Amino acid sequence: MMDWTDRNCRYFHRLLSKNTLLYTEMVTTGAVLHGDRERLLGFDAAEHPVALQLGGSDPADLAACARIAEEWGYDEVNLNVGCPSDRVQSGRFGACLMAEPDLVARLVGAMREAVSIPVTVKSRIAIDEMEEWPTLDHFVRTVSAAGCTHFIVHARKAWLKGLSPKENRDIPPLRHDLVHRLKREHPHLTIVVNGGIRSLDEAEEHLAGLDGVMIGRAAYETPYLLADADRRVFGGAPGPDRHAVVAAMVPYAEERMSRGTPLSAITRHMLGLFQGLPGARAWRRHISENAHRPGAGPDLLLAAAALVRGAAPDMATDTATDTAEERLTPA
């Protein structure tokens, strides 16, 4: 979720659900240790519970970053062993670490010794020519021996040779069955499935046998699915309606803009809010065409939302004609 789940995105998603655990973008240890921590790590208190996802392969650096995460108030620190980008491979972290479970165990051990908050691992099921089940099972056995009890598994193999990061999100076949097998064979561990889950209906099916479900792209493209998560998954109250969410984002946008954040950096995460409703295209177009203009302010959100209320009935067909690229065009 690099470039997606920044603090503005997470604040928006928190308005939709009070209980779901939110994750940051993956941040490298070098960036945390030497970069602008307020920009990289800053978050609003309303985002809790929120986890910091780290990328790295040096035990001392990851331990130091885990301590920083705890000091900044994060509820969890997560080690990413699943990202397949070229940059990750050249830096010897992310998915390439699936081939080094002993090293990952040392990394987790160093992080756990440094903090009292949970340390979790997000992985793939395997990489490249490695056989899927024995790789996943051996990886989890090795890393859990270092004290990690919480694994989030993207149920696709990552092909580091021959596929782009985008292709790695779609081309390798999903093997949700292996994640369920992992839970059956390691019932004492917390096992969360990730990859290809598009709805709460699908999530509930997985929750019958697993401890959790991580939803990435679907939550970004059609964020309002999160609004019913509190009721259906956590036994709480239904989330707010879409227009209430827009209204709640106005004071947030005012505050962030007063600190120098461009309006478009906030609104780009909201484009899918009305997906599937009459007027969704008008909402997206108004934001995309105007949020970057000089003088644009948070009231732009209210003006765009008003277009949804007044949309012509035939605009209900826009979902079928839109492409994913159109839906996610940044404002």
Side-chain angles (χ1 to χ4, degrees), residues 205-289:
E205 291 177 7
H206 287 294
L207 287 170
L210 298 171
D211 301 297
V213 174
M214 175 183 278
I215 301 178
R217 279 180 289 168
Y220 194 90
E221 294 173 7
T222 54
Y224 199 67
L225 72 82
L226 294 174
D228 209 24
D230 288 353
R231 179 185 69 84
R232 292 179 61 173
V233 179
F234 299 98
D241 67 46
R242 292 171 173 87
H243 288 278
V245 172
V246 173
M249 284 297 293
V250 171
Y252 173 80
E254 289 176 343
E255 193 276 334
R256 294 305 303 163
M257 290 181 71
S258 73
R259 297 173 179 268
T261 300
L263 177 64
S264 58
I266 300 167
T267 59
R268 71 187 184 96
H269 302 298
M270 301 175 64
L271 295 178
L273 178 60
F274 291 95
Q275 185 65 22
L277 294 185
R281 179 176 292 177
W283 154 265
R284 293 192 302 272
R285 181 181 294 123
H286 189 77
I287 291 175
S288 297
E289 292 178 353

Side-chain angles (χ1 to χ4, degrees), residues 56-57 59 62 79-82 92-112 119-123 139-140 142-144 146-148 151:
S57 58
L62 279 165
L79 177 62
N80 185 301
V81 190
R92 199 190 172 205
F93 57 94
C96 62
L97 290 178
M98 289 291 299
E100 300 185 74
D102 291 328
L103 172 58
V104 176
R106 293 198 299 275
L107 301 178
V108 165
M111 295 166 73
R112 291 188 70 249
V119 175
T120 66
V121 170
K122 184 175 186 290
S123 74
F139 178 84
V140 168
T142 303
V143 178
S144 64
C148 181
F151 293 85

Side-chain angles (χ1 to χ4, degrees), residues 32-33 37-38 41-43 48 50 52 54 61-77 111 114-118:
V32 172
L33 294 174
R37 290 183 189 167
E38 176 58 37
L41 303 182
F43 65 94
H48 287 293
V50 59
L52 174 65
L54 291 172
D61 286 351
L62 279 165
C65 289
R67 282 192 291 269
I68 292 168
E70 187 170 44
E71 291 167 1
W72 276 72
Y74 281 93
D75 301 288
E76 173 187 317
V77 60
M111 295 166 73
V115 298
S116 59
I117 59 176

